[in-house]
Structure formats: C-alpha cells, structure tokens
Amino acid sequence: MIPPSAIPPADDIDRIMAVMEVAFDPAFGEAWNRRQVEDALLLGPCRMALIGADGAPPGEGQPAAGFALLRTMFDEEELLLFAVDPRWRRRGLGAALLGQVIAGARARGCTRMVLEMREGNSAEHLYIAFGFIPVGRRPKYYRSSTGQLLDAVTFACPLI
Ligand SMILES: CC(C)(COP(=O)(O)OP(=O)(O)OC[C@H]1O[C@@H](n2cnc3c(N)ncnc32)[C@H](O)[C@@H]1OP(=O)(O)O)[C@@H](O)C(=O)NCCC(=O)NCCS
C-alpha cells in the first residue's frame, strides 16, 4: 500500500490506468483519467492498493488485475474507486482486495469505511457480504450516456 503524500511511481499509475480503461461501464463516466488519479495521490490524504492476478501485489513489470483508491479523513476511510479487470472477475480478487483495504484501514485506526455506488451496480453484493449497509442516497446523481438518471447510494461499514 502506498502511503499518502508519497509520489506515486509512474508504473503504478500505469497499472491503475490499464485496469481503469477496461473496468468501468463507459455509459456512466465513472472512470477517472490519469490526471485525476495522480492529483488525488499527490494532493490528498489518498492511498492506493494493487492486486495481481495471483492475489499478491504485482511484481515489477507485472500488470495489476485490480486496484483500490482510498482517502482517509480523520477516522473514516472512503473507498473512492475500486475495480477488477473484467478478465479476472469472479475469482475472488475483488473480495481479497476489499479485505486487504479494510484490514489496512482498521490497522490505521479508522472506525468506518464509506463508499458511494451507482444504484444497481452488482458490486453491491460484494459490499453487503463485507458488512456494508446503505446509509444514504443522492437521487438522480448519475446520468448515463442515454440520459437515464440513477441514484447514488452511500454505504458504510463499521470497522470496530
Ligand atoms: C465489483 C468488482 C470489483 C468485483 O470484482 P471481482 O473480482 O469480480 O469480485 P469477487 O470475485 O471477489 O466476488 C466476490 C463476491 O462478490 C459478489 N459479486 C461480485 N461480482 C458480482 C456480480 N457481478 N454479480 C453478483 N455478485 C457479485 C459475489 O458474491 C462474489 O462471490 P462469488 O463469485 O463466489 O459468487 C468488479 O465487478 C468490478 O471491477 N466492477 C466494475 C467497477 C465497479 O463498478 N466498481 C465498484 C464501484 S462502486
């Protein structure tokens, strides 16, 4: 896990962007561009986590199969972005990565993890399995490329 305020190595950003480009449904514009990722990691209390296809952090020159971007605010950790390359889904990598970032947040003394999700995203099944519960809703927050409006659902998971 890269600590906050560290300059992220360029190849780690490359690994994130390679997953980013294939993981998010383009209809909803949820993927970040490289500048957004770099700025978050450089300027904010943000950190990242990578997982390789074998479930371990990718070694030098190895691609990532999934990544998480997180922001720590006092005792709360926000899961900003979380994705697994579609080629490697439903093999437990998302669960492994989520377990790792929850353990990391807990170890740093965070008492709660929060995230926001487009309603109907199948990631909900994974979040609920880890103890996240819906705590808020922003009506019509997402607009698809076809004009469909969908709510954003905020989930929270107690860490203590
Ligand atoms: C959400 C995501 C990270 C899950 O990654 P993954 O590696 O496939 O997850 P796992 O294989 O660890 O799944 C663990 C469990 O979560 C649930 N789950 C995961 N994806 C699911 C899906 N599409 N439908 C239903 N349940 C699902 C299942 O219970 C699954 O266990 P099972 O495969 O034994 O049934 C991945 O689907 C993804 O990158 N989605 C696009 C990006 C995104 O929307 N991120 C979340 C933004 S809030």
Side-chain angles (χ1 to χ4, degrees), residues 43-108:
L43 302 176
C46 293
R47 61 189 70 239
M48 65 189 214
L50 299 173
I51 193 165
D54 61 357
E60 198 169 331
Q62 299 290 312
F67 74 88
L69 288 177
L70 303 124
R71 175 168 55 200
T72 311
M73 298 294 279
F74 303 103
D75 64 340
E76 186 172 276
E77 187 106 314
E78 181 177 4
L79 185 56
L80 296 170
L81 273 187
F82 173 61
V84 168
D85 184 320
R87 291 172 296 176
W88 299 104
R89 285 189 192 157
R90 301 307 290 264
R91 297 169 193 228
L93 292 175
L97 186 55
L98 189 56
Q100 287 171 23
V101 299
I102 287 174
R106 196 176 270 133
R108 283 190 300 281

Side-chain angles (χ1 to χ4, degrees), residues 6 9-10 12 16 21 35 41 59 64 72-74 95 106 111 119 123 135 148 152 156 159:
D12 281 345
I16 288 177
E21 280 156 20
R35 180 70 184 270
L41 288 168
T72 311
M73 298 294 279
F74 303 103
R106 196 176 270 133
T111 61
E119 68 173 334
V135 294
Q148 185 187 13
L159 302 181

Side-chain angles (χ1 to χ4, degrees), residues 105-127:
R106 196 176 270 133
R108 283 190 300 281
C110 293
T111 61
R112 188 166 110 120
M113 184 170 280
V114 296
L115 63 89
E116 196 170 80
M117 191 201 79
R118 169 173 40 86
E119 68 173 334
N121 189 331
S122 54
E124 176 173 8
H125 299 281
L126 181 56
Y127 297 142

